[in-house]
Amino acid sequence: MPEEEKREFGFPARVVEIIGRTGVRGEVTQVRCEVLEGPDTGKILIRNIMGPVKVGDVLMLMETAMQARKLEARR
């Protein structure tokens, strides 16, 4: 399958670090993950994840070009 072709199920990425919680009620977890397959194999991304997640979980990312903004300290 050519790399430019849109993948039906996305690209697998392994969670390597949990950065923190975000969202109004802390319902979103910000994680650092490593892309396992596709044109960006080995790239480290920061993404926001809803639902339970732990280090070592594999996520399916629909795209690997965009990253989440880093968490800022509360004032």
Side-chain angles (χ1 to χ4, degrees):
M1 173 191 300
E3 295 297 319
E4 297 83 24
E5 193 174 316
K6 183 173 172 80
R7 293 180 57 121
E8 187 175 344
F9 299 111
F11 301 98
R14 180 178 298 115
V15 175
V16 293
E17 179 186 359
I18 295 179
I19 298 171
R21 306 287 287 188
T22 186
V24 176
R25 294 178 217 91
E27 70 274 15
V28 178
T29 306
Q30 194 165 70
V31 300
R32 184 170 280 125
C33 55
E34 177 183 10
V35 179
L36 301 175
E37 291 180 14
D40 293 321
T41 300
K43 186 176 180 180
I44 304 291
L45 300 172
I46 296 174
R47 299 301 289 260
N48 292 330
I49 307 297
M50 289 191 73
V53 65
K54 63 183 184 291
V55 173
D57 285 354
V58 176
L59 311 171
M60 294 303 288
L61 305 177
M62 294 309 293
E63 54 87 24
T64 58
M66 192 175 73
Q67 288 198 63
R69 286 183 279 161
K70 295 191 191 297
L71 288 174
E72 296 179 4
R74 292 187 183 193
R75 297 177 189 191

